[in-house]
Amino acid sequence: MLKINTQSSKGIPIEIDDVKYELKPYDSLKFQDFFELQKFAQQFDNFKDIESANLTDEQVKKLEESLDIFCKKILPGVPQEVMDAVNYMNKIQIIEAFMETVPQQVEESTANLNKSSQGSFGSMASAQKNG
């Protein structure tokens, strides 16, 4: 059975320097943002061992920029000067906390869309990609 809830999930609080900010709930992201965040998370997971990843300076810079962009999207209430002071390990923790709010069924569904073009929605995505 398919159950749909149109009420947005409540975001979890993230505390930075004793100030609480609300982490955006996963279901409030735009469709494209959600897929880009998952893609980033997969890329980052592949490069967790930085020493053996053999990343170029350009690749490292691109990952850092992506990390900054997504932290701003999922913690929109944080002032820029505060976010600039947050180190990259803490930004990774912020994204991991956000990803933990995504229900397992949603993650599996989006992963299956990327792997398979079965079903009408997957077929549309594949047709647009190839066409």
Side-chain angles (χ1 to χ4, degrees), residues 23 44 63 93 101 103 114:
L23 187 64
F44 185 78
L63 282 173
Q93 290 175 320
T101 69
N114 292 334

Side-chain angles (χ1 to χ4, degrees), residues 68-83:
D68 287 337
I69 288 167
F70 286 119
C71 281
K72 288 176 192 174
K73 285 183 183 187
I74 63 177
L75 271 177
V78 178
Q80 185 62 47
E81 62 273 6
V82 173
M83 189 57 76

Side-chain angles (χ1 to χ4, degrees), residues 10-25 71 74-79 82-83 86 90-101:
K10 184 164 173 57
I12 60 172
I14 300 288
E15 190 171 305
I16 302 172
D17 296 333
D18 300 322
V19 178
K20 288 185 180 179
Y21 302 95
E22 190 171 306
L23 187 64
K24 228 177 180 181
C71 281
I74 63 177
L75 271 177
V78 178
V82 173
M83 189 57 76
V86 174
N90 292 137
K91 288 179 182 178
I92 291 166
Q93 290 175 320
I94 290 168
I95 289 188
E96 287 175 343
F98 173 82
M99 293 304 286
E100 287 174 9
T101 69

Side-chain angles (χ1 to χ4, degrees), residues 92-124:
I92 291 166
Q93 290 175 320
I94 290 168
I95 289 188
E96 287 175 343
F98 173 82
M99 293 304 286
E100 287 174 9
T101 69
V102 179
Q104 189 65 31
Q105 295 114 336
V106 173
E107 289 181 359
E108 289 173 3
S109 295
T110 55
N112 288 338
L113 277 176
N114 292 334
K115 291 179 185 175
S116 171
S117 64
Q118 292 178 338
S120 60
F121 188 74
S123 297
M124 286 174 47

Side-chain angles (χ1 to χ4, degrees), residues 27-58:
D27 57 358
S28 67
L29 285 183
K30 293 178 183 174
F31 189 68
Q32 173 109 12
D33 292 338
F34 183 75
F35 276 109
E36 287 177 4
L37 182 59
Q38 280 201 322
K39 182 180 172 186
F40 170 78
Q42 288 172 347
Q43 285 176 332
F44 185 78
D45 198 44
N46 293 338
F47 300 126
K48 276 190 178 175
D49 184 1
I50 299 298
E51 291 178 9
S52 66
N54 273 340
L55 296 176
T56 65
D57 289 342
E58 185 177 323

